Amino acid sequence: LPGPPFTHQQTPRKMVYYGQTSCEQDTERYLDVVKYVFSCYKKEVPLVINTMGWVKGEGLLLLIDIIRLLSPSHVVQMDVCDWKAMPPLTPEHVHFSAGLHTKGKQQSKCKQLGVGSMESWKYSEGEDVSAPQHKLLYVHPEFPRAGVAGEARVHSGILRDMSILGYLGHLQSPDIGAVLPLHSLVPYQVPFNAVALRVIHTDVAPSNIMYAVNASWVGLCCIPEEVRCQTDGPVLLTQTPVCDCLGFGIVRGVDMEKKLYHILTPVPPENLRLVNCLLLGNIAIPNCVLVGQQGIEGEIPYVTSDYNYSI
C-alpha cells in the first residue's frame, strides 16, 4: 500500500537470512526459520503473515504446514480465474490434509446401529480433536488471466535488485550530491578468526571458500556459540545455523596476507559488535553495481565479458 518495498525499508524486529529465492531445496530449514522468527511474536498487536507465491504441488503442502503451525485467526485466499488446482483452504481441509512435513488428522468411519445408511464420523483414540478455527476469506476474481504468473519471476528479480540497491543507498551521505561508487567507500576490516563462515546453498571446498566469498552479498549474523579459533582463521561452519541476522553487507575484498575481510555495510557499529557469523547465500549483487563502476579503465574487476556460454 505505501508503494514498492524498496521505497520504505525498515529494520525488522527479528530476521533470519535464508539465502535463497526459493525454499524448494530445503523446506525443512524453511519451516525451522518460520518457527524461529514467529517465536518472538508476543501477540501484543495483530500480525499479518505474507505467504509466498509457491502454491502448486509441494508448495501447497508447505502452505498447509505453515497454517497448521502458526494457527492464524483468518486466512485470506486469493484465487486465480479458471484454475482448479488449489482447493479452498477451509479449517476442515487444513485439518484433514497432509502437509509436506506434518500429518493430517485421520478420520475413521463407523456405522452406528439404528442410523440406517447414515454414517457418523469419530476421531481415533488419542487424537487431538482441536481442528483449526480460522475464518476463510475467499477472493475469487471474475476477469480472465487474473493472477496468472506470466513474468512474475522477472519482476520479482527486478524488485529484489531494487531492494538491495535501496539498502546499499544507506551507505551514501545524506547530503544530496553525487552518488559515490562502492569502491570509493571505506570498508570495515574484520579478522578471519573473528567471524564464522558458511555457504548456505551449495558445498564449497575449503580451498575455494575465499574465492566464493570475495565480492559477494553476505548476511551479517549472530550465532549463540562463541567463535573460537586457535589459528588466524578462517572459521568454517559445517551446518547452516538458524540464527538472528542483523543486516547485510558486501565482502568488498579479502586480504589473504593480513587475514582480513573488507566489508561494506550500513549496519550501525553498535549492532556490528554482535556479528560473529557471515552467511553467503544464492543472492547476487545486482549487475549494475559491478558493471557501472566509475573511473575504471580496461577490464572491470569481477566482470567477465569473454564468457563461454556453451559451458
Side-chain angles (χ1 to χ4, degrees):
L1 291 177
F6 63 86
T7 62
H8 54 94
Q9 295 181 3
Q10 295 177 320
T11 304
R13 184 186 301 189
K14 189 91 165 171
M15 173 168 65
V16 172
Y17 185 41
Y18 185 75
Q20 300 189 78
T21 57
S22 167
C23 64
E24 223 167 328
Q25 276 189 359
D26 196 348
T27 52
E28 285 190 50
R29 186 166 66 87
Y30 180 78
L31 283 181
D32 287 342
V33 165
V34 170
K35 286 186 277 190
Y36 181 82
V37 173
F38 188 71
S39 67
C40 85
Y41 174 52
K42 303 302 180 203
K43 302 190 178 179
E44 70 275 24
V45 290
L47 177 68
V48 177
I49 300 165
N50 181 19
T51 58
M52 59 182 168
W54 182 29
V55 290
K56 290 183 179 179
E58 289 189 349
L60 177 59
L61 302 181
L62 195 59
L63 183 59
I64 289 171
D65 285 336
I66 289 171
I67 294 172
R68 190 173 283 146
L69 286 168
L70 305 186
S71 301
S73 59
H74 295 73
V75 171
V76 182
Q77 182 174 348
M78 289 172 277
D79 208 350
V80 177
C81 187
D82 301 327
W83 188 50
K84 303 291 187 285
M86 192 174 180
L89 296 173
T90 61
E92 294 75 29
H93 182 82
V94 173
H95 189 53
F96 292 114
S97 299
L100 194 58
H101 298 289
T102 59
K103 292 180 179 178
K105 299 299 179 188
Q106 293 294 316
Q107 293 173 320
S108 57
K109 285 189 268 186
C110 67
K111 285 194 174 182
Q112 292 183 333
L113 292 172
V115 184
S117 61
M118 294 277 291
E119 289 184 341
S120 66
W121 299 87
K122 73 172 186 178
Y123 287 96
S124 304
E125 281 185 33
E127 289 224 3
D128 178 15
V129 296
S130 58
Q133 297 297 319
H134 66 259
K135 183 179 176 66
L136 176 64
L137 305 174
Y138 196 77
V139 182
H140 185 75
E142 297 293 334
F143 51 94
R145 289 189 61 79
V148 175
E151 296 176 343
R153 187 163 293 192
V154 177
H155 291 153
S156 65
I158 293 169
L159 286 173
R160 189 179 311 114
D161 280 359
M162 294 296 282
S163 290
I164 292 174
L165 292 171
Y167 186 81
L168 292 174
H170 296 294
L171 287 167
Q172 302 292 332
S173 166
D175 301 329
I176 297 173
V179 175
L180 295 171
L182 290 182
H183 61 262
S184 73
L185 301 173
V186 179
Y188 289 97
Q189 295 187 146
V190 183
F192 284 1
N193 59 9
V195 289
L197 193 60
R198 173 70 179 168
V199 178
I200 296 170
H201 60 290
T202 189
D203 292 324
V204 178
S207 57
N208 290 338
I209 199 87
M210 290 307 175
Y211 295 113
V213 171
N214 196 19
S216 289
W217 182 260
V218 290
L220 307 176
C221 302
C222 176
I223 53 176
E225 301 85 16
E226 187 181 345
V227 176
R228 290 181 179 174
C229 185
Q230 304 300 326
T231 65
D232 48 10
V235 184
L236 305 181
L237 296 177
T238 54
Q239 287 186 309
T240 302
V242 175
C243 60
D244 288 4
C245 177
L246 304 179
F248 301 96
I250 291 177
V251 179
R252 182 217 177 296
V254 177
D255 188 332
M256 294 302 292
E257 288 182 10
K258 296 179 180 175
K259 309 288 185 185
L260 297 170
Y261 303 111
H262 290 175
I263 297 176
L264 285 170
T265 177
V267 174
E270 60 270 21
N271 291 355
L272 282 180
R273 291 191 186 97
L274 304 172
V275 172
N276 61 357
C277 176
L278 303 180
L279 294 183
L280 170 64
N282 198 17
I283 310 299
I285 299 169
N287 286 344
C288 61
V289 172
L290 298 170
V291 175
Q293 297 181 68
Q294 300 162 7
I296 302 275
E297 292 180 13
E299 274 202 38
I300 304 170
Y302 309 112
V303 177
T304 303
S305 54
D306 183 19
Y307 186 78
N308 185 352
Y309 283 92
S310 66
I311 297 176

